[in-house]
Amino acid sequence: MTGYSFPGIGTNDAPFCGEIDGRKNIISGLTMKRTGETCVGLVNVGTDGLEVHDLTLDASCTFTGYRYVGGFAGKVSGENGGNVYFSNLGFEGTVNVNDNGGGIIGCVPNNDFTAHFTNCYTVGIVNGVSDNGALSGWSSYARIRNCYVLVKGKGWENGHDICRGFTPRFTNSYACGAVQTGSGLSSFTEKEMQDGTLLKKLWPNVYHQEIGTDTHPLLSHPRSRTPEDQPNNIRSLNGTWIDGNWFDLSGRAVTSKMPRGIYIRNGKKVVIK
């Protein structure tokens, strides 16, 4: 999204109540800078029934506003209360806000709304003055399951570093550098996050990690896409390129002397003139 101006989805007059299926993609370069405004996020304003799932915002994404700023949703509200659902989401970017900011949701101001967080993580930065939380700046009665949070930034309310609100409930969730009231939440160290200890505690088949390469558990999303000039049908089964062999652009191994043309060797395009 580098270089694109993205206004966000939903307004106070027309809040978004639909589904965003990220299809396990990773967004990079998304910058939303509205310094004096409220309600900033991938979804500016959502309401009952909102679902966002299977998506990661990487470290190059930045969201800036005055109040109610979050990576995936700025504000969630509505006249009759309800439920909103966030699952399989990763936030690695930065939120800049005065108050009520969070990595996933900025704020759920209506206390008759319940936000459900399942298989979510935040390792990004939330910078603010007050009333912020790593997952959400305010989400009353939030239900938080199989999530982990590395708290970085400023502007926390002591005892509510992860999710401000009335009695958030945690199930198999973990935090580092945070103080949070509520049961069902355990702590971890940055070393445990890096060496695979945290990964073993999280529910299986949701996160993965290459120890020594990944500094924290990642959702089971693709690491990158195959370049268009590298045919998919000549990759090995584990997704890596076969070393030391030559292939033509149809994927056939070339064993004899090669005429002029374009070939693939060790995963790179080679032109023989």
Side-chain angles (χ1 to χ4, degrees), residues 49-103:
L50 170 67
E51 295 184 45
V52 185
H53 59 92
D54 292 290
L55 187 61
T56 295
L57 297 169
D58 79 3
S60 62
C61 296
T62 303
F63 303 85
T64 302
Y66 181 72
R67 180 176 293 151
Y68 304 159
V69 181
F72 294 94
K75 183 178 78 169
V76 173
S77 65
E79 294 181 359
N80 301 313
N83 294 271
V84 290
Y85 302 89
F86 298 84
S87 60
N88 301 340
L89 299 177
F91 181 76
E92 303 177 4
T94 300
V95 166
N96 298 308
V97 63
N98 185 74
D99 60 89
N100 286 283

Side-chain angles (χ1 to χ4, degrees), residues 23-26 208 219-225:
R23 297 188 176 184
K24 299 183 178 180
N25 283 295
I26 301 170
H208 75 274
L219 291 164
S220 295
H221 292 174
R223 298 293 299 275
S224 61
R225 296 190 177 279

Side-chain angles (χ1 to χ4, degrees), residues 132-134 136 156-165 168 179-181:
N132 302 307
S136 179
W156 315 105
E157 178 184 328
N158 188 39
H160 301 276
D161 291 352
I162 298 174
C163 181
R164 294 181 63 245
V179 178
Q180 178 73 47
T181 57

